[in-house]
Amino acid sequence: MIRVVLVDDQALFRAGIRMLIASQPDLDVVGEAGDGREAIDLVRAVRPDVVLMDIRMPVMDGLTATAEILLQPEPPRIVMLTTFDLDEAAARAIRQGASGFLLKDADPEFLLAAIRTVHSGSSVIAASATRELFEHFAETPKPVPPQFSSLTDREQEIFALAARGLSNSEIAAREYLSEATVKTHISRILTKLSLRDRVQLVVFAFEHGLA
């Protein structure tokens, strides 16, 4: 059972999402909060697996709450909810460790799939969408850190393809590798660069001028 917390200042929106999640045998809403401050206390109390976090709320916004929750021991995966397709706040949230973002008007099936996807350890937005987001809000590139040179030539090739938004299957077809081999390479790349997932890989690539 995947334990989910809903954080949004609109009770009607939360009710709709709660009903949708309740219809799934493997998902369970274990708590709701109407602002970021409530969310921090709730997450500490119920220890959910996934948090759906609105960005704009009274008392404390989702960005501030996300930063605090991610400092907790074994924090949940956090998915930001936004009404804007290219949202600078969503970009900032991903930089600080959120697992991605969803538009509030996303298809119900996409939202359910997103919860399961982040629970499994992946990001919830296509890397191509993340790429567009960070192209839009790109800053002056930072110096490439020394650990990037620890990647093998093959790993640097796969890093570049992943940063461009290619999926494991697309990389496998392009590089004449099995998907399992690509997955292993991606895992090693993330470990060497101290990154959590592919979303952070894309962030890393843009921040250091490698995309």
Side-chain angles (χ1 to χ4, degrees):
M1 185 70 71
I2 302 173
R3 294 159 51 81
V4 182
V5 157
L6 308 178
V7 185
D8 193 286
D9 60 323
Q10 297 180 2
L12 190 60
F13 178 80
R14 294 200 312 269
I17 299 301
R18 184 176 65 247
M19 289 176 61
L20 174 66
I21 292 175
S23 70
Q24 304 299 302
D26 60 330
L27 305 178
D28 183 27
V29 175
V30 295
E32 299 180 31
D35 62 63
R37 174 51 58 193
E38 289 180 6
I40 293 169
D41 296 336
L42 178 62
V43 167
R44 187 177 289 115
V46 304
R47 309 293 300 167
D49 301 304
V50 177
V51 176
L52 299 181
M53 176 81 73
D54 189 18
I55 290 180
R56 290 165 179 81
M57 294 179 291
V59 183
M60 178 185 287
D61 63 34
L63 208 59
T64 305
T66 293
E68 290 203 27
I69 289 171
L70 290 173
L71 292 175
Q72 295 182 14
E74 300 181 7
R77 307 284 288 181
I78 300 179
V79 180
M80 310 307 295
L81 300 174
T82 176
T83 53
F84 304 104
D85 205 356
L86 289 174
D87 189 337
E88 186 172 9
R92 288 169 56 201
I94 293 169
R95 283 194 182 99
Q96 69 189 24
S99 297
F101 75 97
L102 287 175
L103 295 178
K104 282 192 168 184
D105 61 356
D107 289 340
E109 290 303 317
F110 185 77
L111 185 144
L112 294 171
I115 294 171
R116 297 182 178 105
T117 298
V118 296
H119 182 254
S120 71
S122 299
S123 57
V124 299
I125 46 179
S128 56
T130 316
R131 179 183 176 87
E132 181 181 3
L133 184 67
F134 282 94
E135 280 180 335
H136 191 74
F137 297 112
E139 300 172 351
T140 304
K142 301 175 183 176
V144 178
Q147 62 262 40
F148 186 75
S149 62
S150 70
L151 301 185
T152 65
D153 289 344
R154 171 63 88 181
E155 286 169 350
Q156 289 192 23
E157 290 174 8
I158 291 175
F159 172 93
L161 295 172
R164 287 170 48 194
L166 275 67
S167 66
N168 285 357
S169 60
E170 291 169 332
I171 294 172
R174 188 182 181 111
E175 297 294 304
Y176 303 102
L177 299 169
S178 70
E179 282 193 52
T181 299
V182 172
K183 188 175 181 179
T184 298
H185 280 305
I186 293 289
S187 178
R188 288 175 179 165
I189 291 167
L190 295 177
T191 298
K192 288 182 178 181
L193 299 180
S194 300
L195 304 173
R196 194 181 62 206
D197 54 35
R198 291 174 70 111
V199 171
Q200 291 196 341
L201 184 151
V202 177
V203 174
F204 180 96
F206 274 95
E207 287 186 333
H208 298 96
L210 296 169

